[in-house]
Amino acid sequence: MAADFDVVNLFVIAAATLAIPIVAFGASFLLWPSVLIRVYHWYWRRTLGLQVRYADCGGYRFCYSCRGKPGMRPSILLLHSFSAHKDTWLTVVKYLPKHLHILCVDMPGHEGTTRTTKDDYSIQGQARRIRQFVEAIRLNRKPFHLVGASMGGSVAGVYAACYPLDICSMTLICPDGIKHLSETKFDNHLQDLQHNQYTLSIPLIPTTPEEMEDMLKLCSHVRFKIPQQILQGLVDVRLPHNEFYEEVFMELISERSRYALQEHLHLIFTPLQIIWGKKDQVVDVSGAAIIEEHIPGCRVDLLENCGHSVVMEKPRQTAKLILEFIIAKQNTTKKSS
């Protein structure tokens, strides 16, 4: 009889042990979805072997995650898009070899990197800040491969034009800053904003789950089924930063930043790869042909059934294309030397 009680007690203890994390997960999902999202990013960084670090530059601090050490292949520095963060790249890092030296940095003012009201958030200003980061961690002791998506792509292009000796090759993913030939759905939104003196909500700065869903539909050709609670969590994570995002957005569409990449194309001589989703509704894919016209010999990879969020929609293919390009350029360099 005593043994039966012991068995029952063991089952009760086991059930309680299992119930605690399940209840905690359920509570987080329903009450604090933003906490669940942060835990998710932490879990994947840990799983992929990425460590979060900081680099200080005269009172300015950069937050970044990294994996591996410099080796035979060039280091890879990844610059994310507007209002995103370093963890945007987790889906791509998952498919890159673990021996590669990879760094994902929070762009100026974003996430864990210092935010100041006096900073210059123009494309040129952000490129200068990224150079500070590169020098602080001495990444440019050896030329590295630079990757940038959307806003990060524009910053990467200006960086390559201004600091050509730092990098050995570069990948631009749906880069902003080009006078593309066709209007997109986002261009139409932008015109409405201008006509209404920017009193309407900005499609890339959602404040409700419904606006978040609309933004995801705008940026992605692939339709992801995301629960309402997760949409709310994504909004909750962004809300405290929306005023800053509005400041950066107005700078990005200003005269000095809007076509910054195109204005610097004639100064780019680095081996270049362009990756673009054919269904991009934010920055039209015709921008790839414009870049190719200015920089003959660059590699252009256009992805079928893919929108602006290439990193989210086609992470495996993106990682494969980047790696192929790096290896091909490295082999070409070896043969020529």
Side-chain angles (χ1 to χ4, degrees):
M1 201 63 180
D4 290 340
F5 277 120
D6 287 342
V7 171
V8 171
N9 286 336
L10 283 173
F11 273 113
V12 170
I13 292 169
T17 303
L18 290 171
I20 290 171
I22 293 171
V23 170
F25 176 84
S28 297
F29 181 79
L30 294 172
L31 302 176
W32 309 290
S34 60
V35 173
L36 195 62
I37 290 167
R38 290 190 177 94
V39 170
Y40 172 83
H41 288 148
W42 170 85
Y43 169 79
W44 273 109
R45 282 198 304 270
R46 186 177 178 85
T47 299
L48 296 174
L50 287 161
Q51 294 181 326
V52 175
R53 293 181 179 174
Y54 297 90
D56 293 305
C57 315
Y60 193 92
R61 169 171 281 195
F62 289 94
C63 180
Y64 66 104
S65 58
C66 62
R67 184 178 76 185
K69 295 180 180 181
M72 296 293 291
R73 302 290 183 200
S75 299
I76 303 175
L77 175 60
L78 300 138
L79 308 182
H80 64 72
S81 57
F82 166 73
S83 75
H85 46 76
K86 60 186 175 297
D87 293 327
T88 302
W89 295 105
L90 289 173
T91 51
V92 172
V93 171
K94 177 182 177 181
Y95 297 108
L96 290 172
K98 289 191 175 181
H99 67 270
L100 291 178
H101 184 218
I102 298 170
L103 304 99
C104 312
V105 63
D106 284 328
M107 296 295 282
H110 288 69
E111 195 75 7
T113 293
T114 297
R115 179 182 302 171
T116 69
T117 55
K118 297 179 181 179
D119 216 356
D120 179 4
Y121 293 108
S122 67
I123 295 298
Q124 296 89 331
Q126 291 194 59
R128 286 191 292 271
R129 279 295 190 192
I130 294 301
R131 183 71 189 311
Q132 281 186 315
F133 168 71
V134 166
E135 291 189 316
I137 64 170
R138 301 180 69 189
L139 183 62
N140 55 353
R141 284 181 296 179
K142 180 181 177 183
F144 59 90
H145 182 80
L146 184 60
V147 181
S150 194
M151 177 193 78
S154 189
V155 173
V158 171
Y159 188 104
C162 296
Y163 313 106
L165 297 180
D166 284 3
I167 60 179
C168 59
S169 51
M170 176 170 64
T171 300
L172 303 183
I173 303 173
C174 303
D176 194 13
I178 297 292
K179 294 179 183 178
H180 43 264
L181 303 175
S182 304
E183 286 192 349
T184 63
K185 190 174 180 180
F186 177 72
D187 290 326
N188 295 332
H189 282 302
L190 195 56
Q191 289 172 10
D192 290 341
L193 282 169
Q194 291 169 338
H195 291 155
N196 290 274
Q197 298 182 329
Y198 300 98
T199 55
L200 300 176
S201 61
I202 299 171
L204 300 180
I205 308 178
T207 58
T208 66
E210 293 72 26
E211 289 180 356
M212 173 59 72
E213 190 170 25
D214 289 341
M215 186 190 80
L216 293 174
K217 287 178 180 178
L218 174 68
C219 294
S220 174
H221 177 70
V222 177
R223 293 292 177 256
F224 297 98
K225 293 183 179 180
I226 302 176
Q228 188 74 7
Q229 286 301 116
I230 296 300
L231 290 171
Q232 183 63 61
L234 292 170
V235 171
D236 291 345
V237 168
R238 296 169 63 97
L239 275 177
H241 310 289
N242 276 357
E243 187 176 341
F244 165 72
Y245 294 153
E246 288 176 13
E247 177 189 346
V248 176
F249 179 81
M250 295 307 294
E251 178 55 57
L252 294 179
I253 63 172
S254 69
E255 188 175 341
R256 67 171 176 165
S257 287
R258 189 164 184 181
Y259 302 118
L261 176 56
Q262 185 150 344
E263 291 163 0
H264 286 78
L265 287 178
H266 68 287
L267 298 172
I268 298 176
F269 301 99
T270 303
L272 174 63
Q273 175 187 40
I274 305 295
I275 300 177
W276 218 304
K278 285 188 175 181
K279 302 293 186 181
D280 195 331
Q281 297 184 88
V282 179
V283 185
D284 191 69
V285 67
S286 61
I290 294 170
I291 296 173
E292 190 174 20
E293 182 182 334
H294 284 79
I295 308 176
C298 71
R299 171 173 167 170
V300 177
D301 294 297
L302 303 182
L303 308 188
E304 299 286 348
N305 301 314
C306 184
H308 188 65
S309 299
V310 170
V311 172
M312 181 172 68
E313 296 177 71
K314 304 283 186 179
R316 184 195 295 267
Q317 189 175 1
T318 301
K320 180 175 179 288
L321 290 171
I322 291 172
L323 189 59
E324 284 177 355
F325 179 69
I326 291 173
I327 293 172
K329 289 303 169 186
Q330 199 171 28
N331 289 342
T332 301
T333 302
K334 286 179 180 178
K335 286 179 182 179
S336 61
S337 60

